[in-house]
Amino acid sequence: MKLKKEIKSVVFIGSGNVATHLSVALHKMGMPILQIYSPNIEHARLLARKTESSAIHDLSEINPEADLYLISIPDDKIIKVIDELKPFSGIAAHTSGIVEMKVLEKFENFGVFYPLQTFSKNRPVDITTVPFCIEGNSEDTQNTLFDLAKKLSRSVQYINSVDRKQIHLAAVFVNNFPNHLYAAAENLLKEKNISFEILLPLLQETAAKMQDLKPEEAQTGPARRNDLNTIKTHSAMLKNHPELLEIYQLFSHQILKKYHDKL
Amino acid sequence: MKLKKEIKSVVFIGSGNVATHLSVALHKMGMPILQIYSPNIEHARLLARKTESSAIHDLSEINPEADLYLISIPDDKIIKVIDELKPFSGIAAHTSGIVEMKVLEKFENFGVFYPLQTFSKNRPVDITTVPFCIEGNSEDTQNTLFDLAKKLSRSVQYINSVDRKQIHLAAVFVNNFPNHLYAAAENLLKEKNISFEILLPLLQETAAKMQDLKPEEAQTGPARRNDLNTIKTHSAMLKNHPELLEIYQLFSHQILKKYHDKL
């Protein structure tokens, strides 16, 4: 029986928010980060300093002795970078939610190391609660990546490329789109010189509730209770905000239809 | 100078989620709750037991010695209940976000006591963080209601009826509509037998971020970074979900337009 391989050194390809949070977390738990690559050497240097590693901006300088290349760059740049990388004996993995694992098949060992979280520049994230979606081209590779993720987080799962794509799509509905709604609310308050802060406890309880309730049990509001008067009042209030009105009417329509089979 | 009046007893008209959370919180801080009214006497009894008060289901039985009637019932039933109430010397206030204060003008002292939060049956809420929007027909009434709210919460503001209506509308955009998006995401995961739990850390961080970032700074996702390939892939994945596709396309369109002046 072949022994399961353990990752003992990592090279990061990328220096954005995901690369930053992952490399700093790995560095903190004692994992040697050999190099940080970025086409912008200043970006690479900034993160290299935080992780006691070397900054490079030329892919040909990547250390082939590393156990793991973690490719953490914008989705549309992954293919091109893989093209330029040379085969090596370690594992090559990307951190994307949507890119299929098989784009890495020129490597002997390859996989996916996808942290399902939104990372911001100056906001710490508790990495131990971040769900990691792991995929590998072989059982060995998969187990090796799983074990590495387990050192960072309590929440690690094997997820294939098809399911990961679906999770990534669902993530847009709980992250990017609610955020757009928050911006809409902020605009409505700004109009009356009311600080957005007044909404924060409600906004956060709406999310926190999901720990105890299913979204359908938690649904409230004018459309949920079939309160057509309020919907009319709100719609009139939005007459100078055509984009917000469009959102308001689409959502009210869908909620009325779902819970009251109306419209 | 007339002395500011202090509320020393309350009657609740209503026994739903808002009435429950408010009456229990007031009872806990030692405020005598004289009566709980509900047209359904069983509902009134349930809450009366929790607040050591009397249950009534006939508005004519309301104790006119109370310092405050708190009308906490569905918006569309408020006018009718006010019609049936007799004038008294205390303050009559409702807890609605959208109903104007002046519907209470048959009383000598009247106002609004609006807690801006979503209350669920079996989920405790930290009342000390709930923003209260206070309005009163006179400075005395306003101050009296303000002082009462201050005993419950650190976050109390005078808000007039016009601004309160706008806050209530904005609240729909950070509470009811995100919740509808959560339901959409849950459906997408259910299709692949993936538990909704995997999204909770992301969903909650999306809300938590608002403490540090403005919504427009926090906006991320395919449309924000003008990633038309991913939008195309996601749209294709939604071909059997026409309602989710409609949401996806509307939001992507609006985000592209806002940040890239596209489409």
Side-chain angles (χ1 to χ4, degrees):
Chain A
M1 201 181 98
K2 204 180 148 194
L3 267 180
K4 228 167 50 180
K5 207 178 154 186
E6 193 191 340
I7 302 289
K8 288 186 174 151
S9 63
V10 182
V11 165
F12 270 85
I13 296 166
S15 62
N17 286 340
V18 176
T20 299
H21 282 265
L22 288 186
S23 63
V24 168
L26 285 168
H27 173 65
K28 266 193 190 149
M29 64 168 229
M31 172 67 66
I33 310 295
L34 304 184
Q35 297 168 317
I36 304 282
Y37 161 83
S38 167
N40 180 323
I41 191 70
E42 280 314 314
H43 293 174
R45 278 192 189 127
L46 202 70
L47 186 51
R49 266 196 296 274
K50 288 183 190 163
T51 55
E52 299 182 85
S53 61
S54 309
I56 55 172
H57 67 137
D58 184 341
L59 286 171
S60 69
E61 289 173 36
I62 282 186
N63 186 336
E65 302 297 314
D67 290 339
L68 174 65
Y69 294 173
L70 260 185
I71 302 168
S72 191
I73 56 180
D75 295 337
D76 54 353
K77 301 206 164 67
I78 292 179
I79 303 270
K80 192 166 169 287
V81 157
I82 292 170
D83 260 1
E84 294 178 33
L85 288 170
K86 291 187 209 96
F88 78 126
S89 63
I91 299 174
H94 71 62
T95 62
S96 163
I98 196 170
V99 175
E100 286 180 32
M101 177 175 70
K102 67 167 190 249
V103 300
L104 291 153
E105 65 194 353
K106 76 181 243 188
F107 297 100
E108 200 184 321
N109 311 298
F110 55 97
V112 177
F113 197 83
Y114 171 50
L116 179 54
Q117 186 51 284
T118 170
F119 297 99
S120 318
K121 211 132 228 146
N122 295 313
R123 224 186 111 74
V125 161
D126 178 4
I127 198 93
T128 66
T129 65
V130 173
F132 278 81
C133 301
I134 301 298
E135 192 177 5
N137 72 304
S138 68
E139 216 183 305
D140 275 353
T141 306
Q142 193 150 281
N143 290 339
T144 303
L145 291 173
F146 189 98
D147 292 346
L148 180 66
K150 260 294 181 191
K151 288 181 183 170
L152 292 171
S153 169
R154 290 189 298 273
S155 172
V156 183
Q157 294 180 50
Y158 296 121
I159 303 277
N160 66 37
S161 286
V162 172
D163 286 358
R164 177 166 41 83
K165 235 162 85 175
Q166 188 88 349
I167 291 170
H168 180 262
L169 172 57
V172 170
F173 281 82
V174 303
N175 171 228
N176 310 148
F177 291 173
N179 193 85
H180 184 59
L181 293 171
Y182 302 162
E186 195 197 24
N187 279 335
L188 287 172
L189 294 191
K190 205 182 284 170
E191 204 176 79
K192 303 274 185 203
N193 290 313
I194 303 164
S195 160
F196 185 55
E197 263 184 40
I198 197 170
L199 286 179
L200 290 186
L202 172 63
L203 185 161
Q204 279 157 7
E205 170 67 8
T206 302
K209 258 186 175 182
M210 291 300 106
Q211 242 142 9
D212 294 337
L213 296 172
K214 292 165 83 61
E216 288 174 8
E217 294 162 0
Q219 189 65 55
T220 57
R224 176 63 186 90
R225 61 176 185 271
N226 199 16
D227 177 353
L228 301 180
N229 274 332
T230 297
I231 293 175
K232 222 167 114 184
T233 304
H234 281 164
S235 298
M237 290 165 71
L238 290 170
K239 67 175 187 297
N240 295 323
H241 297 277
E243 299 203 329
L244 306 194
L245 182 60
E246 220 177 333
I247 292 175
Y248 189 91
Q249 293 196 324
L250 178 63
F251 275 68
S252 297
H253 176 99
Q254 288 196 4
I255 296 170
L256 280 169
K257 192 173 162 202
K258 180 170 179 176
Y259 296 93
H260 301 281
D261 204 16
K262 284 254 169 124
L263 296 185
Chain B
M1 200 179 101
K2 201 178 148 197
L3 266 181
K4 226 165 54 178
K5 207 178 155 188
E6 193 190 342
I7 302 290
K8 289 186 174 152
S9 63
V10 183
V11 166
F12 270 85
I13 295 167
S15 63
N17 286 340
V18 176
T20 298
H21 282 266
L22 289 186
S23 63
V24 168
L26 285 168
H27 173 66
K28 266 193 189 150
M29 65 168 228
M31 173 66 67
I33 310 296
L34 304 184
Q35 297 168 315
I36 304 282
Y37 161 84
S38 167
N40 180 323
I41 190 71
E42 279 314 314
H43 292 174
R45 278 192 190 128
L46 203 69
L47 186 52
R49 264 196 296 275
K50 288 183 191 165
T51 55
E52 298 183 84
S53 62
S54 308
I56 57 172
H57 67 136
D58 184 341
L59 286 171
S60 69
E61 288 173 35
I62 281 187
N63 187 337
E65 302 297 316
D67 290 338
L68 174 65
Y69 294 173
L70 260 186
I71 302 169
S72 191
I73 57 179
D75 296 337
D76 53 352
K77 301 205 164 67
I78 291 178
I79 303 271
K80 192 166 169 286
V81 158
I82 291 170
D83 260 2
E84 294 178 32
L85 287 170
K86 289 187 210 98
F88 79 125
S89 62
I91 299 173
H94 70 63
T95 63
S96 164
I98 195 168
V99 176
E100 286 180 32
M101 178 176 71
K102 67 168 191 250
V103 302
L104 290 154
E105 65 194 355
K106 76 179 239 187
F107 298 99
E108 200 185 321
N109 310 300
F110 55 97
V112 177
F113 197 83
Y114 171 50
L116 179 54
Q117 186 50 286
T118 171
F119 297 100
S120 318
K121 211 132 229 146
N122 296 311
R123 227 187 109 75
V125 161
D126 178 4
I127 197 92
T128 66
T129 65
V130 173
F132 278 81
C133 302
I134 300 299
E135 192 178 4
N137 72 306
S138 68
E139 216 182 307
D140 275 353
T141 306
Q142 194 150 280
N143 290 340
T144 305
L145 290 173
F146 189 97
D147 292 346
L148 181 67
K150 260 295 181 190
K151 288 182 184 168
L152 292 171
S153 169
R154 289 189 299 272
S155 171
V156 183
Q157 294 180 49
Y158 296 122
I159 304 276
N160 67 35
S161 286
V162 172
D163 285 357
R164 177 165 41 82
K165 236 163 85 174
Q166 188 88 349
I167 291 170
H168 180 262
L169 172 57
V172 170
F173 281 81
V174 304
N175 171 229
N176 309 148
F177 291 173
N179 194 85
H180 184 59
L181 292 171
Y182 301 163
E186 194 197 26
N187 279 335
L188 286 173
L189 294 191
K190 204 183 282 168
E191 203 175 80
K192 304 274 184 200
N193 290 310
I194 303 164
S195 160
F196 184 56
E197 263 184 40
I198 197 170
L199 286 179
L200 290 186
L202 173 62
L203 185 160
Q204 279 156 8
E205 170 67 8
T206 302
K209 258 183 174 184
M210 291 301 105
Q211 242 142 9
D212 294 335
L213 294 173
K214 293 167 83 62
E216 288 174 9
E217 293 163 358
Q219 188 66 56
T220 57
R224 175 64 186 89
R225 61 176 186 271
N226 198 17
D227 178 353
L228 302 178
N229 274 332
T230 297
I231 293 175
K232 222 167 118 184
T233 304
H234 281 164
S235 298
M237 288 165 72
L238 290 170
K239 66 176 187 296
N240 296 321
H241 297 277
E243 299 202 328
L244 305 194
L245 182 60
E246 221 177 331
I247 292 175
Y248 190 91
Q249 293 195 326
L250 178 63
F251 276 68
S252 297
H253 177 98
Q254 289 195 3
I255 296 169
L256 279 170
K257 193 174 160 200
K258 180 170 180 177
Y259 298 92
H260 301 280
D261 203 18
K262 283 256 168 120
L263 295 185

